[in-house]
């Protein structure tokens, strides 16, 4: 069964450092998403990406964050200057279409710890 | 304002019991997802529903669009069902509930 692959599974970084979280979505999916889950809290939407551009972003997704699909397969989330409050589990997901009764497939997540 | 509410927040059961987890929502949706999150954190999609009922093994999910309500049922629960079960609304993005933590004891 096709999978969404995320790397690394764990990342520890110092405050102020840049991190790049990587995702390989399912190859024939067209919509890509990043979500995050702070420990003990619910999963929150960060950003959706379609046709090589951001289609929607949440208030959380400020100028510190950026996404790109550099080579047509990888989908990356960059956090420019990490803060302690960026510590969370980050999930990538992909979907064949943006809406309607079609499924999402989630990656297994990257646990980011900012120290 | 919570667009999606789950109940209960925590649920403890003995192996073999029938489990029901409820989800109510207040916005228009194209579909609703039931997801399972294990202690390691990974999220698995169990069901996506836009109407009626779906069954997969011991899991049954129902949705009533008019009443804006969905339920997830687990028949003959087992300790390996212990996880957090999350209801998520399908709009142009997913809107997640806070989850129901289920523990099934032998």
């Amino acid at each position: 069964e096709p999978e969404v692959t995320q790397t690394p599974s764990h990342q520890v970084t110092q405050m102020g450092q840049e991190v790049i979280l990587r995702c390989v979505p399912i190859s024939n999916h067209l919509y890509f998403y990043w979500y995050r889950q702070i420990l003990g809290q619910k999963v929150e939407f960060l950003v959706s990406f379609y046709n090589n551009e951001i289609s929607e972003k949440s208030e959380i997704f400020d100028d510190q964050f950026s996404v790109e699909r550099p080579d047509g397969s990888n989908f990356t989330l960059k956090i420019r200057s990490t803060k302690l409050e960026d510590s969370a589990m980050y999930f990538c997901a992909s979907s064949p279409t943006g809406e309607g009764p079609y499924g999402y497939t989630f990656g297994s997540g990257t646990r980011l710890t900012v120290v | 304002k919570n667009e999606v509410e789950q109940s209960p927040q925590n649920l403890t059961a003995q192996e073999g019991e029938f489990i029901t987890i409820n989800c109510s929502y207040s916005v228009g949706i194209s579909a609703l997802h039931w997801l399972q999150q294990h202690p390691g954190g990974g999220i698995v999609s169990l069901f996506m529903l836009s109407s009626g009922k779906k069954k997969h093994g011991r899991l049954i999910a129902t949705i009533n669009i008019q009443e804006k309500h969905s339920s997830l049922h687990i028949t003959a629960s087992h300790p390996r069902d212990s996880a957090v079960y999350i209801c998520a609304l399908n709009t142009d993005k997913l809107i997640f509930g806070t989850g129901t933590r289920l523990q099934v004891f032998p």
Side-chain angles (χ1 to χ4, degrees):
Chain A
E1 190 171 324
E3 287 184 344
V4 173
T5 305
Q6 285 187 246
T7 55
S9 55
H10 292 88
Q11 172 119 26
V12 180
T13 190
Q14 289 208 316
M15 193 168 57
Q17 295 295 303
E18 174 183 286
V19 293
I20 298 177
L21 310 184
R22 300 180 196 280
C23 170
V24 179
I26 292 175
S27 60
N28 62 350
H29 284 188
L30 301 177
Y31 289 79
F32 314 112
Y33 308 85
W34 284 101
Y35 292 86
R36 82 169 185 191
Q37 185 178 33
I38 294 171
L39 187 65
Q41 298 185 22
K42 66 180 182 179
V43 180
E44 302 171 289
F45 169 75
L46 288 178
V47 65
S48 58
F49 191 86
Y50 169 71
N51 200 26
N52 284 320
E53 60 183 24
I54 291 173
S55 48
E56 187 172 351
K57 59 183 181 179
S58 71
E59 291 174 354
I60 304 166
F61 194 89
D62 61 20
D63 292 343
Q64 297 275 77
F65 292 89
S66 62
V67 289
E68 61 176 10
R69 197 151 186 252
D71 57 12
S73 62
N74 289 287
F75 177 51
T76 62
L77 174 69
K78 183 192 291 187
I79 310 174
R80 243 177 290 283
S81 177
T82 50
K83 301 180 282 232
L84 294 176
E85 54 265 37
D86 295 326
S87 296
M89 184 79 117
Y90 288 80
F91 292 101
C92 173
S94 70
S95 163
T97 66
E99 255 192 86
Y102 301 103
Y104 283 71
T105 303
F106 286 88
S108 53
T110 293
R111 186 172 298 282
L112 176 66
T113 303
V114 182
V115 297
Chain B
K1 151 172 109 74
N2 282 330
E3 293 148 307
V4 55
E5 299 273 1
Q6 279 186 245
S7 62
Q9 283 190 304
N10 293 284
L11 187 52
T12 302
Q14 287 293 125
E15 184 173 355
E17 283 185 16
F18 181 83
I19 304 290
T20 296
I21 299 170
N22 294 300
C23 175
S24 297
Y25 57 93
S26 58
V27 296
I29 61 173
S30 56
L32 180 144
H33 296 257
W34 281 102
L35 309 164
Q36 182 189 56
Q37 186 172 32
H38 277 282
I43 295 175
V44 174
S45 179
L46 298 174
F47 294 103
M48 184 175 57
L49 293 161
S50 52
S51 65
K53 176 177 164 177
K54 284 190 176 179
K55 184 175 190 292
H56 186 257
R58 294 180 294 107
L59 302 179
I60 302 165
T62 63
I63 189 167
N64 185 319
I65 296 288
Q66 286 73 34
E67 294 185 5
K68 292 187 163 60
H69 182 268
S70 177
S71 293
L72 176 70
H73 305 286
I74 305 175
T75 61
S77 59
H78 190 276
R80 65 174 174 266
D81 297 326
S82 298
V84 176
Y85 292 84
I86 303 170
C87 163
L89 309 181
N90 200 69
T91 60
D92 52 353
K93 58 185 180 289
L94 289 184
I95 301 171
F96 287 75
T98 51
T100 293
R101 184 174 300 278
L102 172 65
Q103 287 186 290
V104 182
F105 292 99

